[in-house]
Amino acid sequence: MKKFALALGVMTLATLTSLLSLPVMASSAACQVNTKKELSLDEKHFDQSLQAGWRVLARQPKCREAAADLIEAYRKAHHSKSITLAWHEAQMRAMVGQNDKAVALFKQAKHPKADPFGWNLYVDATVAFLQNNKPQLLKDRKEMMALPRPKGYLPAGKVAKDSDLKWPLYIDKVDAFVSCFGSSYQHAYSECSAPKS
């Protein structure tokens, strides 16, 4: 019995290894990647590199679902609770119209602690947009606009007077969601411009 269990364990491991070496499949051959290689990357390279990881796929509009699937595989393989990876998978899901999956992932991307920069409100506004809830979207925007600007706020590497910086953060995207309410996330996020004030 022990030999059978050991053989089954080895077979399961071999099956898993062979599955990881298969490409992530999508509608186009151009969307194939070496999953095993991608999953072996550290999180910084997988998430931030333009030459590896999910962004290689995401640059091709037809491969955004494959990019989302690759992020999902990475999160599962590494048991990742990364807010950033959840956010990026959510964005890719939303880009291809998988709004229910995207909403669940966006909710996982909220900061659990104090949030003086309004990230969680931005997440809530994004969810409201995807759920076609304009009253909630407008409420989230109003709360964002009421956020007090952190004293001495200055993005890393930016040289400017405090008064020159856009505040609140993310408001341009939220304004685009308001301006293009009812459109796709892809359009509102990438193509829609908020009216100039």
Side-chain angles (χ1 to χ4, degrees):
M1 191 67 175
K2 285 183 181 178
K3 285 184 180 180
F4 174 75
L6 181 61
L8 184 60
V10 170
M11 189 171 79
T12 303
L13 182 60
T15 303
L16 180 61
T17 303
S18 65
L19 284 173
L20 290 177
S21 65
L22 292 174
V24 172
M25 298 305 292
S27 58
S28 167
C31 300
Q32 295 180 7
V33 295
N34 182 331
T35 308
K36 184 176 181 181
K37 179 181 174 185
E38 298 298 335
L39 297 189
S40 71
L41 296 170
D42 63 71
E43 185 176 321
K44 181 179 178 183
H45 284 95
F46 177 80
D47 188 59
Q48 300 298 316
S49 174
L50 297 177
Q51 284 74 45
W54 68 272
R55 291 176 190 271
V56 173
L57 291 171
R59 283 196 303 258
Q60 305 170 70
K62 291 182 180 178
C63 296
R64 287 183 178 146
E65 184 175 359
D69 292 343
L70 183 60
I71 299 169
E72 180 182 27
Y74 188 93
R75 293 173 68 231
K76 286 180 178 175
H78 293 269
H79 307 286
S80 174
K81 302 291 184 194
S82 167
I83 288 172
T84 305
L85 288 178
W87 175 263
H88 288 147
E89 183 185 342
Q91 285 189 301
M92 292 299 99
R93 299 280 178 210
M95 290 280 183
V96 296
Q98 295 177 357
N99 290 357
D100 290 341
K101 284 184 178 181
V103 164
L105 288 160
F106 278 129
K107 288 179 179 179
Q108 292 176 39
K110 292 179 83 167
H111 285 299
K113 297 181 181 176
D115 182 33
F117 294 99
W119 173 257
N120 288 345
L121 287 170
Y122 174 42
V123 173
D124 289 342
T126 303
V127 168
F129 173 81
L130 289 174
Q131 293 180 328
N132 291 311
N133 187 341
K134 193 162 191 178
Q136 184 63 49
L137 174 58
L138 294 173
K139 179 178 179 286
D140 295 330
R141 185 192 184 281
K142 184 177 180 180
E143 288 182 35
M144 285 179 77
M145 293 303 293
L147 282 172
R149 186 191 199 87
K151 189 173 181 180
Y153 163 67
L154 194 69
K158 181 87 171 171
V159 178
K161 294 179 181 176
D162 189 45
S163 60
D164 294 337
L165 301 175
K166 186 77 173 173
W167 184 259
L169 295 176
Y170 323 112
I171 196 64
D172 289 343
K173 291 300 180 191
V174 173
D175 283 345
F177 291 156
V178 172
S179 286
C180 293
F181 188 79
S183 69
S184 69
Y185 178 83
Q186 158 67 35
H187 174 73
Y189 185 85
S190 301
E191 300 159 22
C192 179
S193 297
K196 303 292 182 195
S197 53

